[in-house]
Amino acid sequence: MRYLGIGDLARQVRMRPSALRYYESVGLLPAAHREGGRRVWPATAVRRIALIKMAQRAGFTLAEIRGLLAADTSRGATRQWRELAARKLPELDEFIAQTQALRAAVAACLDCGCMNFENCELLTGVPDADV
C-alpha cells in the first residue's frame, strides 16, 4: 500500500497540513500511521478528502460528514446516506432560492443606474433607521 506524508497529501488535495491535522483530530480522517515520527496516510485519503470537500460544498456540516463517513463502514451506510441527503435537499433548495433572490437584487442595482442610495428607486419604501 502506498502512503503519503502530510505535505504530499496537503499538496495533492490543495489544503494546508494544519487542516489535515484538524480533520484527523475531529474524526474525518482516520488516525495517521507514523513512519519515522511523521504522519502518513494511505493514498486512499485523497479520495476521502475529495468526498469531504464535495459534501461541504453541498452544505453538509462537518458533524454530518463525520456521521456519513462512519456509516460508510457499516452495513446501513446506503440507508443513512439516503436519509441525510433527503433531509439536506430542502435546505439546499432554500439556499438556492435565497441566492437567486440576492443575485436578482444585485442585478437590479446594476441596472438602476442611480448610483445614489438616497434617491434609489429600489429602496423606495424602506424607512430610514431611527438614530
Side-chain angles (χ1 to χ4, degrees):
M1 178 178 281
R2 186 170 153 245
Y3 286 91
L4 299 170
I6 194 166
D8 292 332
L9 181 58
R11 276 187 292 284
Q12 283 196 27
V13 298
R14 296 186 177 157
M15 293 177 70
R16 294 176 186 222
S18 59
L20 297 176
R21 287 189 291 272
Y22 175 74
Y23 278 11
E24 179 186 22
S25 73
V26 298
L28 292 172
L29 281 178
H33 299 290
R34 302 286 176 161
E35 287 183 3
R38 295 180 48 233
R39 282 180 166 94
V40 293
W41 283 275
T44 56
V46 172
R47 191 172 184 86
R48 185 178 183 104
I49 294 167
L51 174 64
I52 293 167
K53 287 176 147 185
M54 180 192 69
Q56 284 181 300
R57 284 191 305 272
F60 289 89
T61 67
L62 292 181
E64 290 169 331
I65 296 167
R66 185 176 42 250
L68 290 172
L69 291 170
D72 194 37
T73 61
S74 73
R75 292 171 22 126
T78 300
R79 180 181 47 80
Q80 288 179 305
W81 275 95
R82 287 183 175 279
E83 289 173 2
L84 184 55
R87 286 194 312 265
K88 187 57 71 174
L89 281 177
E91 291 177 33
L92 291 171
D93 289 340
E94 177 63 24
F95 176 75
I96 290 167
Q98 291 174 355
T99 302
Q100 288 173 333
L102 180 58
R103 187 197 184 288
V106 169
C109 286
L110 286 173
D111 291 341
C112 175
C114 71
M115 301 307 287
N116 182 328
F117 290 120
E118 292 176 11
N119 301 319
C120 182
E121 293 178 17
L122 296 172
L123 298 175
T124 301
V126 176
D128 289 333
D130 293 328
V131 181

